Amino acid sequence: MAQAARAARARGIASMVGFNYRRVPALAYARQLIAAGRIGTVRQVRASYLRTGSPTRTPP
């Protein structure tokens, strides 16, 4: 990614990479548990991520 960022900067192109939680170890472990059938049938999932810098005090 550093090479891509340098190339974009050299050409005056604005670029960015969105951060997400796909590779967080806790989520990977949860996926393993689900895939192995260790926690039974998953009927509902609710996820909430910490957001900093939100323009409002309440989450969206």
Side-chain angles (χ1 to χ4, degrees):
M1 287 309 307
Q3 182 181 2
R6 284 191 298 273
R9 188 177 300 120
R11 290 170 181 76
I13 299 170
S15 65
M16 64 182 275
V17 174
F19 178 79
N20 63 55
Y21 290 87
R22 283 190 336 187
R23 303 290 182 236
V24 172
L27 294 180
Y29 183 60
R31 184 182 186 283
Q32 288 175 358
L33 292 175
I34 293 165
R38 303 249 337 252
I39 61 172
T41 302
V42 177
R43 300 192 186 281
Q44 181 177 353
V45 174
R46 181 176 180 179
S48 178
Y49 298 115
L50 173 65
R51 281 190 52 177
T52 58
S54 177
T56 63
R57 295 239 181 240
T58 57

